Amino acid sequence: MESLVVPVLILLAVVAGVTVAYRAGRKRKAAHPSTPAQPAATSHELARAAADRLSEEEHRRLYALIAQGQAMAAIKLYYEITGEGLRASRDAVGALAAHPQPYRRHEPPQSVQEDDDDEPQRFPYRYRAIASKGDVTREVSSNMLNDEIYGRIRTLARSGDTEAAANALTRHSDISLTQAREFIALLDD
């Protein structure tokens, strides 16, 4: 029996040490919670984003360096152009080398067109808008309406500009102005 006391004491000491180490690790993790990692962009997505940051001349110069095998010069050029960190520049150049991207001309953002255009856009589906108040229900179905346009019409109606809302609804559907006013009156809460 005495011969078992020493191994049991050693076993208890080891269990106590493991327990203390485990608790210390949990406390350290609780003190420094890790931020949830953002999913890393794929190499192809990174290459596309990197290419979009380059002008046509910069794109040509960068790919010339990559084609000549001058990776360090390409990283330096990308770093100077974009101002990103060295690691981000290295990753971007590596992605551009692995997934060559054609130069895409940057088109200026199109200005939001007002609803004053002559012919509204026609969609391949019919949009149904329903408004009701009490026992009265009105429905407008049109292939010139969508969520965005209907949302603007509702915003106009709720802001008190019911005439502009009725005109916009008439322009984007095949109903009369009187019918549009009746419909808008049901939206005005």
Side-chain angles (χ1 to χ4, degrees):
M1 188 75 145
E2 285 183 23
S3 62
L4 293 177
V5 170
V6 172
V8 168
L9 288 176
I10 292 174
L11 181 61
L12 289 174
V14 168
V15 169
V18 169
T19 304
V20 168
Y22 175 74
R23 287 184 179 171
R26 288 190 60 180
K27 283 183 181 178
R28 195 173 331 133
K29 256 189 182 176
H32 304 290
S34 61
T35 58
Q38 294 287 341
T42 65
S43 184
H44 188 73
E45 291 170 347
L46 180 60
R48 179 171 291 149
D52 287 344
R53 299 188 75 187
L54 303 172
S55 70
E56 187 172 9
E57 174 63 22
E58 294 164 345
H59 187 271
R60 187 189 58 73
R61 287 176 45 210
L62 186 72
Y63 270 107
L65 292 172
I66 291 172
Q68 295 169 3
Q70 298 180 8
M72 292 304 291
I75 293 169
K76 181 180 177 191
L77 177 65
Y78 188 84
Y79 174 77
E80 291 171 354
I81 291 169
T82 63
E84 289 187 8
L86 286 175
R87 181 173 291 166
S89 297
R90 179 200 65 196
D91 293 344
V93 169
L96 287 168
H99 304 283
Q101 299 292 310
Y103 174 73
R104 288 189 300 269
R105 185 172 311 283
H106 300 290
E107 296 181 17
Q110 297 178 352
S111 62
V112 177
Q113 293 181 348
E114 295 296 320
D115 285 337
D116 298 334
D117 47 352
D118 295 331
E119 186 67 28
Q121 179 182 357
R122 294 191 179 271
F123 302 102
Y125 55 86
R126 291 192 69 78
Y127 184 88
R128 282 181 58 193
I130 300 172
S132 64
K133 186 184 286 185
D135 292 339
V136 180
T137 300
R138 297 285 185 262
E139 177 182 330
V140 175
S141 178
S142 174
N143 64 343
M144 295 178 279
L145 276 174
N146 64 12
D147 281 334
E148 179 184 348
I149 295 167
Y150 183 62
R152 288 189 300 210
I153 292 169
R154 282 185 20 215
T155 302
L156 284 170
R158 289 184 177 158
S159 68
D161 197 355
T162 56
E163 195 60 29
N167 286 328
L169 185 59
T170 303
R171 190 171 37 258
H172 290 283
S173 65
D174 296 325
I175 63 173
S176 70
L177 188 57
T178 305
Q179 293 170 324
R181 285 180 181 138
E182 291 173 1
F183 185 90
I184 296 301
L186 297 176
L187 293 177
D188 189 22
D189 287 332

